Amino acid sequence: MTELAIIGGTGLTSLANLQITRREVVHTPYGEPSGPLVFGTLGGKEVVFLPRHGAGHTIPPHRVNYRANIWALHNTGVRKVIAVAAVGGIHPSLAPETLTVPDQLIDYTWSRASTFFEDDLSHVTHIDFTRPYAESVRQLILNACRVAKLDVIDGGVYGAMQGPRLETAAEITRMERDGCTMVGMTGMPEAALARELELEYATCAVVANWAAGRGGGETIEMSDIERILKHGMAKVRTLLEHAVPLL
Ligand code: HPA
């Protein structure tokens, strides 16, 4: 049985080291996922891969059908999800190209379909979300980094912003006051939906840029982000290959 799903973020729309065996189009009660599920072998085991923004990177963060994606992955029978995400670094330790595995999050997103528990309920359900990421999957990512000899920063607070625009410097200052160490646009509601379906889920974040107003830059250039992510995602591919045998 396939145990692990990988959700690819910006810069990771395909896994070059994945030996693809089949693609599966899934229709869910919540609509269409970002694309067909891609099954293949990686590090000797079968995994399922789904690029969050679509195979051609055309779906912006606020338009991703997070419910359909998580439902489709859950429907395959996987128990664990590694969610790869590009972030902006707020904390001085999170320079571009750094890999990090957050252990907390703050949700600033709005108007996204953010729960499976709203219609046809027999009772109102509130999931526990004290620790939003599964420690089992966080440790899997951290151990894979150790084996692959990749530097990684353990822990941090992921601030999920609405996007698709980047933040103002003042917004980043507010997020820093709140305790955020990194900022992204896709971490929520994805993490909460995974918890609702009892999937063990953690994020492997790749710092693509200094967050707005940090690191001495005046503006954030997409061309710089693309260049950094090319290197960062190469590390992620190595990490993932080392993670699978540790399952
Ligand atoms: N802000 C929000 N999301 C991001 C950033 C950022 O600076 N970089 C990569 N994803």
Side-chain angles (χ1 to χ4, degrees):
M1 204 185 78
T2 317
E3 195 179 345
L4 178 72
I6 298 161
I7 301 178
T10 300
L12 197 74
T13 48
S14 66
L15 283 179
N17 45 0
L18 181 73
Q19 309 264 307
I20 298 173
T21 49
R22 68 195 158 94
R23 287 188 169 78
E24 196 176 304
V25 175
V26 183
H27 305 287
T28 86
Y30 303 95
E32 305 309 304
S34 298
L37 303 184
V38 183
F39 290 83
T41 47
L42 184 71
K45 285 189 188 162
E46 189 178 70
V47 300
V48 54
F49 177 74
L50 178 62
R52 185 187 285 117
H53 300 282
H57 201 267
T58 52
I59 311 169
H62 63 295
R63 287 280 181 84
V64 171
N65 190 339
Y66 296 96
R67 291 198 299 186
N69 287 353
I70 293 294
W71 191 97
L73 293 177
H74 177 259
N75 193 48
T76 67
V78 297
R79 292 194 302 119
K80 293 180 162 58
V81 181
I82 295 179
V84 180
V87 296
I90 299 176
H91 191 272
S93 66
L94 293 181
E97 254 191 68
T98 305
L99 293 183
T100 179
V101 187
D103 59 355
Q104 276 297 334
L105 65 79
I106 298 178
D107 187 8
Y108 301 90
T109 66
W110 41 271
S111 189
R112 299 181 180 189
S114 58
T115 180
F116 291 110
F117 299 145
E118 56 186 5
D119 293 317
D120 306 321
L121 297 178
S122 56
H123 59 277
V124 174
T125 305
H126 303 283
I127 53 160
D128 172 64
F129 208 42
T130 311
R131 311 241 168 260
Y133 300 112
E135 201 51 32
S136 57
V137 181
R138 284 199 351 96
Q139 291 304 327
L140 175 66
I141 300 167
L142 292 167
N143 285 334
C145 286
R146 222 160 283 146
V147 176
K149 297 190 169 37
L150 291 166
D151 288 334
V152 60
I153 294 191
D154 177 6
V157 182
Y158 178 109
M161 290 294 270
Q162 177 72 359
R165 67 165 175 83
L166 294 163
E167 297 71 34
T168 67
E171 284 170 335
I172 294 297
T173 300
R174 180 186 72 158
M175 293 179 78
E176 188 172 45
R177 270 201 308 273
D178 286 353
C180 295
T181 60
M182 68 195 87
V183 54
M185 301 176 189
T186 55
M188 283 294 284
E190 197 174 84
L193 292 166
R195 178 64 54 85
E196 286 190 349
L197 296 190
E198 298 181 357
L199 289 166
E200 296 168 44
Y201 170 105
T203 291
C204 172
V206 182
V207 182
N209 56 283
W210 285 113
R214 298 294 180 274
E218 254 319 292
T219 56
I220 298 170
E221 303 296 337
M222 280 313 293
S223 55
D224 292 339
I225 289 186
E226 279 162 23
R227 184 172 42 79
I228 296 292
L229 282 182
K230 206 172 255 180
H231 293 117
M233 291 304 168
K235 291 191 213 173
V236 169
R237 288 189 182 95
T238 305
L239 175 173
L240 292 171
E241 205 168 273
H242 285 80
V244 177
L246 299 177
L247 282 167

